[in-house]
Amino acid sequence: MSDLDPVNGYSSNITTLSEPRIQEDDLLSITVTSLNPESNMLFNAGVIMPSQGNVNTVVSSPINENYLVDKDGFINYPVVGKINLRGLTKQEAITKVTQVLDEYVKDPIINIRFMNFKVTVIGEVQQPSSFIIPTEKITILEALGLAGDMTAYGKRENVLVIREKDGVRSANRLNLNEKNVLDSPFYYLQQNDIVYVEPFKTKSIQADNNPTTVALISTALTLATVLILNFNNIF
């Protein structure tokens, strides 16, 4: 952000931050708390085991189950069946699940978390990888920090962000040398975003001129020369 005023700095209202919305293939952790212990166990991956007489026993599952959003936006929830959460924010999803469970549980308290809110950073960075973001909020600068920052060959004026949302794939290039990047809708990353840092052309040239490449070319030329000389000697 080399165009920042060194004296007055920069100040602007944050308008580009939006809550993540539930999409297909999101993995959600949903926990239920109420005054009824059996209801808590049942709706937190519990299993009803039949026993003698008319009494059933609720046994807690050893695995803390998460719920995968299918291609139609539904999760398959215990007892109540399918619930459509596509396009909802966490708070909207909490409200909807609470309404659904109201007829089964008195005054339930619902907590929902994204378990696979991840971003991927590749290209000219020190540690390219995918990162799970527990806070569900991250900027492109923070993502680059997780990847160890750009290498000396990374184009800071041409960082690509690829995003898939509601079945639509979009891409946008950001110039990190300009303060306007702070107002870009791609400054705050969303789940499953991919950040690609493009290398300078000099990096490609250096790769072509590295000792291994030069040695291979030299060997090939030497072999070709020997074959030509032998061919001339024969004829």
Side-chain angles (χ1 to χ4, degrees):
M1 304 180 190
S2 55
D3 61 343
L4 279 174
D5 189 323
V7 177
N8 299 320
Y10 174 81
S11 177
S12 175
N13 293 328
I14 298 176
T15 59
T16 58
L17 175 61
S18 60
E19 286 190 70
R21 293 188 175 271
I22 297 172
Q23 307 175 31
E24 65 178 86
D25 295 328
D26 279 343
L27 194 63
L28 305 177
S29 169
I30 304 177
T31 56
V32 179
T33 305
S34 72
L35 296 177
N36 188 330
E38 290 189 354
S39 296
N40 295 341
M41 296 179 68
L42 178 61
F43 288 105
N44 292 308
V47 180
I48 299 180
M49 301 295 293
S51 60
Q52 295 181 353
N54 296 323
V55 180
N56 291 329
T57 302
V58 181
V59 179
S60 178
S61 170
I63 301 176
N64 184 19
E65 186 171 352
N66 298 315
Y67 300 93
L68 182 67
V69 181
D70 66 21
K71 62 182 180 63
D72 297 316
F74 288 87
I75 62 167
N76 195 14
Y77 203 68
V79 181
V80 300
K82 290 191 172 184
I83 305 176
N84 192 342
L85 300 179
R86 171 188 280 171
L88 302 182
T89 64
K90 276 202 314 182
Q91 188 54 53
E92 291 169 346
I94 287 172
T95 299
K96 184 167 185 176
V97 174
T98 300
Q99 292 171 347
V100 171
L101 294 186
D102 265 341
E103 60 179 286
Y104 301 94
V105 185
K106 184 178 180 180
D107 299 326
I109 299 174
I110 312 298
N111 183 52
I112 297 178
R113 289 191 62 189
F114 289 92
M115 300 305 294
N116 63 340
F117 189 108
K118 76 175 188 300
V119 297
T120 300
V121 186
I122 56 177
E124 282 301 315
V125 291
Q126 300 290 347
Q127 301 170 359
S129 184
S130 293
F131 305 95
I132 300 294
I133 312 302
T135 60
E136 302 163 10
K137 174 186 172 184
I138 186 172
T139 68
I140 186 170
L141 299 179
E142 290 171 325
L144 291 171
L146 290 175
D149 202 0
M150 299 184 192
T151 69
Y153 298 101
K155 285 187 175 181
R156 284 159 175 75
E157 72 280 5
N158 199 24
V159 178
L160 180 67
V161 179
I162 302 172
R163 175 171 296 168
E164 292 186 7
K165 185 176 182 180
D166 299 328
V168 177
R169 182 181 293 110
S170 59
N172 195 63
R173 295 186 182 275
L174 302 180
N175 186 346
L176 300 187
N177 290 331
E178 297 179 352
K179 65 178 183 295
N180 291 337
V181 69
L182 299 172
D183 299 319
S184 168
F186 286 79
Y187 177 70
Y188 284 97
L189 301 180
Q190 299 183 11
Q191 66 264 46
N192 304 316
D193 278 0
I194 298 174
V195 178
Y196 171 65
V197 179
E198 185 179 349
F200 284 108
K201 288 183 178 180
T202 52
K203 177 66 178 295
S204 301
I205 295 173
Q206 285 191 0
D208 291 338
N209 292 332
N210 70 66
T212 302
T213 304
V214 172
L216 289 174
I217 294 175
S218 177
T219 301
L221 290 174
T222 301
L223 180 60
T225 302
V226 170
L227 291 174
I228 291 172
L229 290 175
N230 289 338
F231 181 83
N232 291 334
N233 290 333
I234 294 174
F235 296 96

